[in-house]
Amino acid sequence: MAEVEETLKRIQSQNGVQGIIIVNTEGIPIKTTLDNASTVQYAGLIHQLVMKARSTVRDIDPQNDLTFLRVRSKKNEIMIAPDKDYFLIVIQNPSD
Amino acid sequence: MEIVHVYTRLRGEFGRQCLFSDRPAELLVDVPPDPRLAQDFIQKNPRDQALQACRDMSEHQVNTERFESDSCGINHVEGGWPKDINPQEMEQTIRYRKKVEKDESYVNSLLTLGSVMEHCIRQNNAVDIYQEYFEDEDEVEESPEPPSAKTINVFRDPNEVKRTVSCLSWHPDGGKLAAAYSCLQFQRSSRDMSLDSYIWDIENPNRPELTLKPASPLVCLEYNPKDSHTLVGGAYNGQIAYWDTRRGSQPVETSSVEQSHRDPVYKIIWLQSKTGTDVFSASTDGQVLWWDVRRLSEPTERLVLDLSREGNLDRALGAVSLEFESTMPTKFLVGTEQGVVVSCNRKAKTPAEKIVCSYDGHHGPVYALQRNPFFPKNFLTVGDWTARIWSEDIRDSAIMWTKYQTSYLMDACWSPVRPSVFFTVKMDGVLDVWDILFKQNDPTLSLKVCDEALYSLRLQDNGRLVACGSQQGGATLLEISSGLSTLQKNDKSLLAAMFERETKREKVLEARQREIRLKERSRSEQSREGEPGREDADHGPDQLIAKAQEDFYVVTEMERPTCLKVGSLLVAVPREISIIPNLAETESVGICKEIT
């Protein structure tokens, strides 16, 4: 329990990190550093995106699987680390 | 010739049972071979014949029926909470979350995810992977891509009875398109034809954004360039109506029937004025009326397009197009049904002086008229089967023109970004893009937009989007490739040089014409003294033409080494010659123009 907190704190302290969201497979945000409205929006949208990306990777090669997804946009970068039951979403402003 | 077998039967035998009987084979026709016929043919031996043993294939196109799709989104607000937990209740959700956090798999997976994530974050912070290394280098000249245009959207008339899109107008900011629908064919409009015109949002072709409900179908429609919420439209019955999009579909005000035009209003344009509420309209009843939209009960000014300058309505020319340029606020041009373009001055002292001069050039109605936005002294007209470019100073003929096309040209406009590019639409559904700096004989790009005739055309101010309206009520939105919609470095100067050159050529021809006419007149005066009653016109037109042709060929043969081949000019020269009775007097008939 404490290690989880420590990990999250470490991530939060990195340069440019704007927010962290942990979502489970049903789309329920477990832990978040953003406000509720944004969290819910991110959780819903990114969930679908990860599902699609994962199915794409597996369609091309069934033995393959999605390990990480980065969505880089003009304003920031959304990084998603998917797992069997949970996703870790971090929004960072890249250094420039 | 139909192959027919006549079967006759006696009336008394109708209904009688058919009795069939066998009979032996009978020779009906016997055509013996006639060896004499073989002499008409030459025997060919050996012969090459190609054969292919394969299945016969045929090509067939299939298109599914078009279905209407509507996009709508579902907003899922909160995630899939289990049934017993109410997402609004803070306590329950917190309790659930706490339970999940205690789960061991949660802890494990999060630790691994955390380390992966940290790696990527650090990566981000270390290097900017999108850094531009060679920004300062000059951009390499891209090889010019062939000009193209892409259809983006089609806005179809949602009514059952389809009407023609008679006019299109872009919203000043460019996101919306107003289209005026009416049936322009004489007495062809049916009783259940809808009177509405629509404003479309270009992102949504399924449904018009706003419906405008006039009392009579609108023939032309214009957004106010200063105030993007107001529109003014001219109707089929001659009235002018004024809309404010914030106030709904009904016109805010409509002009009174007695004071309006008596024929459909073909063109209406907003004027530059301090109040920003002036418009003027033109119609085939021969009048040009000025209105103030705040008070549409009667026009503020009236002009009758009578070329004899008497203000006689019976002899007025019907106006079909109008042109107004904000840089020249007192002058305007009117294109008429008779093929004459009339230049008028609004601020003339007497009504007679209002009509300054006329340019006679087309065989049919001048459907479109527009000044070049970069060179206001030159304007483009479209009518009959050609598009012509005129210079204000030369009255007799256009300075440049396209060759006669296969179908009637209905509308044209200049590109607002490139001075040498203009667009035309034709009755066979083709949109032509002409670039006169590139090619003058043919359009640079010719696109078949739809199967029915295209009636109207309008370019958006950025020069990339063009909307054209068809007879069946479909307005097609196209995007033009960047080659045709970005200003090149030398465009303006090259075009200025071209216009000047053409103008000079016409001036020279005009001067020559005048000279010849003068000489003719003086000679005919002399000959009249000698032989009373005999005139050169006695020769008869056919003989004149034959003689002119002969002389023409002689002269061109003589001048061949010095004269460059000129495309459209050769068409023009015989025209001049046929008026000149005695060709032997003319010297350099082939006035050469340089080809760029």
Coordinates of all heavy atoms in Angstrom, one line a residue, chain B residues 194-234:
Chain B
S194 N -41.4 23.7 -52.8 CA -41.2 24.5 -51.5 C -40.6 25.8 -51.9 O -39.8 26.0 -52.8 CB -40.2 23.7 -50.7 OG -39.6 24.5 -49.8
L195 N -40.9 26.9 -51.0 CA -40.3 28.2 -51.3 C -39.1 28.5 -50.6 O -38.5 29.5 -50.7 CB -41.4 29.2 -50.9 CG -42.8 29.1 -51.5 CD1 -43.7 30.1 -50.8 CD2 -42.7 29.4 -53.0
D196 N -38.6 27.5 -49.7 CA -37.6 27.8 -48.8 C -36.2 27.9 -49.4 O -35.9 27.2 -50.4 CB -37.5 26.7 -47.7 CG -38.8 26.6 -47.0 OD1 -39.5 27.6 -47.0 OD2 -39.1 25.6 -46.5
S197 N -35.3 28.6 -48.8 CA -33.9 28.6 -49.1 C -33.2 28.3 -47.8 O -33.7 28.4 -46.7 CB -33.4 29.9 -49.6 OG -34.0 30.2 -50.9
Y198 N -32.0 27.8 -47.9 CA -31.3 27.2 -46.7 C -30.0 27.9 -46.5 O -29.3 28.3 -47.4 CB -31.1 25.7 -46.8 CG -32.4 25.0 -47.0 CD1 -32.8 24.5 -48.3 CD2 -33.3 24.8 -46.0 CE1 -34.0 23.9 -48.5 CE2 -34.5 24.2 -46.2 CZ -34.8 23.7 -47.4 OH -36.0 23.1 -47.6
I199 N -29.6 27.8 -45.2 CA -28.2 28.1 -44.9 C -27.6 26.8 -44.3 O -28.2 26.2 -43.4 CB -28.1 29.2 -43.8 CG1 -28.7 30.5 -44.3 CG2 -26.7 29.5 -43.4 CD1 -28.7 31.6 -43.3
W200 N -26.5 26.4 -44.9 CA -25.9 25.2 -44.6 C -24.6 25.4 -43.8 O -23.9 26.3 -44.1 CB -25.5 24.4 -45.8 CG -26.6 24.0 -46.7 CD1 -27.1 24.7 -47.7 CD2 -27.3 22.8 -46.7 NE1 -28.1 24.0 -48.3 CE2 -28.3 22.8 -47.7 CE3 -27.2 21.6 -45.9 CZ2 -29.2 21.8 -47.9 CZ3 -28.1 20.6 -46.2 CH2 -29.1 20.7 -47.2
D201 N -24.4 24.6 -42.8 CA -23.1 24.6 -42.1 C -22.3 23.6 -42.9 O -22.7 22.5 -43.1 CB -23.3 24.1 -40.6 CG -22.0 24.2 -39.9 OD1 -20.9 24.3 -40.5 OD2 -22.0 24.0 -38.7
I202 N -21.1 24.0 -43.3 CA -20.4 23.1 -44.2 C -19.9 21.8 -43.6 O -19.6 20.8 -44.3 CB -19.1 23.8 -44.9 CG1 -18.2 24.3 -43.8 CG2 -19.6 24.9 -45.8 CD1 -17.0 24.9 -44.5
E203 N -20.0 21.7 -42.2 CA -19.6 20.4 -41.6 C -20.7 19.5 -41.6 O -20.5 18.3 -41.5 CB -19.2 20.7 -40.2 CG -18.2 21.8 -40.0 CD -16.8 21.4 -40.3 OE1 -16.4 20.3 -39.9 OE2 -16.1 22.2 -40.9
N204 N -22.0 19.9 -41.8 CA -23.1 19.1 -41.6 C -24.0 19.0 -42.9 O -24.8 19.9 -43.0 CB -23.9 19.5 -40.4 CG -25.1 18.6 -40.2 OD1 -25.2 17.5 -40.8 ND2 -26.0 19.0 -39.3
P205 N -23.7 18.1 -43.8 CA -24.5 18.1 -45.0 C -25.9 17.5 -44.9 O -26.7 17.4 -45.8 CB -23.6 17.3 -46.0 CG -22.9 16.4 -45.1 CD -22.7 17.1 -43.8
N206 N -26.2 16.9 -43.7 CA -27.4 16.2 -43.6 C -28.6 17.1 -43.4 O -29.7 16.8 -43.9 CB -27.4 15.3 -42.4 CG -26.3 14.2 -42.6 OD1 -26.1 13.8 -43.7 ND2 -25.7 13.8 -41.5
R207 N -28.4 18.2 -42.7 CA -29.6 19.0 -42.4 C -29.1 20.5 -42.5 O -28.0 20.8 -42.0 CB -30.0 18.7 -41.0 CG -31.4 18.8 -40.7 CD -31.8 18.4 -39.3 NE -31.2 17.1 -38.9 CZ -30.4 16.9 -38.0 NH1 -29.9 17.9 -37.3 NH2 -30.0 15.7 -37.7
P208 N -29.9 21.3 -43.2 CA -29.5 22.7 -43.2 C -29.6 23.3 -41.8 O -30.4 23.0 -41.0 CB -30.6 23.3 -44.1 CG -31.7 22.4 -44.2 CD -31.2 21.0 -43.9
E209 N -28.7 24.3 -41.6 CA -28.7 24.9 -40.3 C -29.9 25.8 -40.1 O -30.4 25.9 -39.0 CB -27.4 25.7 -40.2 CG -27.1 26.1 -38.8 CD -25.9 27.0 -38.7 OE1 -25.0 26.7 -39.5 OE2 -25.9 27.9 -37.9
L210 N -30.2 26.5 -41.1 CA -31.3 27.5 -41.0 C -32.2 27.5 -42.2 O -31.6 27.4 -43.3 CB -30.8 28.9 -40.7 CG -31.8 30.0 -40.4 CD1 -32.6 29.6 -39.2 CD2 -31.1 31.3 -40.2
T211 N -33.5 27.6 -42.1 CA -34.3 27.7 -43.3 C -34.8 29.1 -43.4 O -35.2 29.7 -42.4 CB -35.5 26.8 -43.1 OG1 -35.1 25.5 -42.7 CG2 -36.3 26.6 -44.4
L212 N -34.7 29.6 -44.6 CA -35.3 31.0 -44.8 C -36.6 30.8 -45.6 O -36.6 30.1 -46.6 CB -34.3 31.8 -45.7 CG -32.9 31.9 -45.1 CD1 -32.0 32.6 -46.1 CD2 -32.9 32.8 -43.9
K213 N -37.6 31.5 -45.1 CA -38.9 31.3 -45.7 C -39.4 32.6 -46.3 O -40.1 33.4 -45.6 CB -39.9 30.9 -44.6 CG -39.6 29.5 -44.0 CD -40.8 29.0 -43.2 CE -40.3 27.9 -42.2 NZ -40.0 26.7 -43.0
P214 N -39.1 32.8 -47.6 CA -39.6 34.0 -48.2 C -41.0 33.8 -48.7 O -41.5 32.7 -48.7 CB -38.6 34.2 -49.4 CG -38.2 32.8 -49.7 CD -38.3 32.0 -48.4
A215 N -41.6 34.9 -49.3 CA -43.0 34.7 -49.8 C -42.9 34.1 -51.2 O -43.9 33.6 -51.7 CB -43.6 36.1 -49.9
S216 N -41.8 34.2 -51.8 CA -41.6 33.7 -53.2 C -40.2 33.1 -53.3 O -39.3 33.6 -52.6 CB -41.9 34.8 -54.1 OG -41.3 34.7 -55.4
P217 N -40.0 32.1 -54.1 CA -38.6 31.5 -54.1 C -37.5 32.6 -54.3 O -37.7 33.5 -55.2 CB -38.6 30.5 -55.2 CG -40.0 30.3 -55.6 CD -40.8 31.4 -55.1
L218 N -36.4 32.4 -53.7 CA -35.3 33.4 -53.8 C -34.5 33.1 -55.0 O -34.1 31.9 -55.2 CB -34.5 33.4 -52.6 CG -35.0 34.0 -51.3 CD1 -34.0 33.8 -50.2 CD2 -35.4 35.4 -51.5
V219 N -34.2 34.1 -55.8 CA -33.3 33.8 -56.9 C -31.9 34.2 -56.6 O -30.9 33.6 -57.1 CB -33.8 34.6 -58.2 CG1 -32.9 34.4 -59.3 CG2 -35.2 34.3 -58.5
C220 N -31.7 35.2 -55.7 CA -30.3 35.5 -55.3 C -30.3 35.9 -53.8 O -31.3 36.2 -53.2 CB -29.8 36.7 -56.1 SG -30.8 38.1 -56.0
L221 N -29.2 35.7 -53.2 CA -29.0 35.8 -51.8 C -27.6 36.3 -51.5 O -26.7 35.8 -52.1 CB -29.3 34.4 -51.2 CG -29.4 34.1 -49.7 CD1 -30.5 35.0 -49.1 CD2 -29.7 32.7 -49.5
E222 N -27.5 37.2 -50.5 CA -26.2 37.7 -50.2 C -26.0 37.9 -48.7 O -26.9 38.5 -48.1 CB -25.9 39.0 -50.9 CG -25.5 39.0 -52.3 CD -24.1 38.4 -52.6 OE1 -23.2 38.6 -51.7 OE2 -23.9 37.7 -53.6
Y223 N -24.9 37.5 -48.2 CA -24.6 37.8 -46.8 C -24.1 39.3 -46.8 O -23.4 39.7 -47.7 CB -23.5 36.9 -46.3 CG -24.0 35.8 -45.5 CD1 -24.0 34.5 -46.0 CD2 -24.3 35.9 -44.2 CE1 -24.4 33.4 -45.3 CE2 -24.7 34.8 -43.4 CZ -24.8 33.6 -44.0 OH -25.2 32.5 -43.2
N224 N -24.3 40.0 -45.7 CA -23.8 41.3 -45.5 C -22.3 41.1 -45.2 O -22.0 40.5 -44.1 CB -24.5 42.0 -44.4 CG -24.1 43.5 -44.3 OD1 -23.1 43.9 -44.9 ND2 -24.9 44.2 -43.6
P225 N -21.4 41.6 -45.9 CA -20.0 41.4 -45.6 C -19.6 42.1 -44.3 O -18.6 41.7 -43.7 CB -19.2 42.0 -46.8 CG -20.2 42.8 -47.5 CD -21.5 42.4 -47.2
K226 N -20.3 43.1 -43.9 CA -20.0 43.8 -42.6 C -20.6 43.1 -41.4 O -20.0 43.0 -40.4 CB -20.5 45.2 -42.7 CG -19.8 46.1 -43.7 CD -18.5 46.5 -43.3 CE -17.7 47.1 -44.5 NZ -18.4 48.3 -45.1
D227 N -21.8 42.7 -41.6 CA -22.5 42.1 -40.4 C -22.9 40.7 -40.8 O -23.8 40.5 -41.6 CB -23.8 42.9 -40.2 CG -24.6 42.4 -39.0 OD1 -24.1 41.4 -38.4 OD2 -25.7 42.9 -38.7
S228 N -22.3 39.7 -40.2 CA -22.5 38.3 -40.7 C -23.8 37.7 -40.3 O -24.1 36.6 -40.6 CB -21.4 37.5 -40.2 OG -21.2 37.6 -38.9
H229 N -24.6 38.5 -39.6 CA -25.9 37.9 -39.2 C -27.0 38.3 -40.2 O -28.1 37.7 -40.1 CB -26.4 38.4 -37.8 CG -25.5 37.9 -36.8 ND1 -25.5 36.6 -36.4 CD2 -24.6 38.5 -36.0 CE1 -24.6 36.4 -35.4 NE2 -24.0 37.6 -35.2
T230 N -26.8 39.2 -41.1 CA -27.8 39.7 -41.9 C -27.6 39.2 -43.3 O -26.5 39.2 -43.8 CB -28.0 41.2 -41.9 OG1 -26.7 41.7 -42.2 CG2 -28.4 41.7 -40.6
L231 N -28.8 39.0 -44.0 CA -28.7 38.6 -45.4 C -29.8 39.3 -46.1 O -30.8 39.7 -45.5 CB -29.1 37.1 -45.5 CG -28.2 36.1 -44.9 CD1 -29.0 35.3 -43.9 CD2 -27.8 35.1 -46.0
V232 N -29.6 39.5 -47.4 CA -30.7 40.1 -48.2 C -30.9 39.2 -49.4 O -29.9 38.6 -49.9 CB -30.3 41.5 -48.6 CG1 -29.2 41.6 -49.6 CG2 -31.5 42.3 -49.0
G233 N -32.1 39.0 -49.8 CA -32.4 38.1 -50.9 C -33.3 38.7 -51.9 O -34.2 39.5 -51.5
G234 N -33.2 38.4 -53.1 CA -34.1 38.9 -54.2 C -35.0 37.7 -54.6 O -34.5 36.6 -54.8

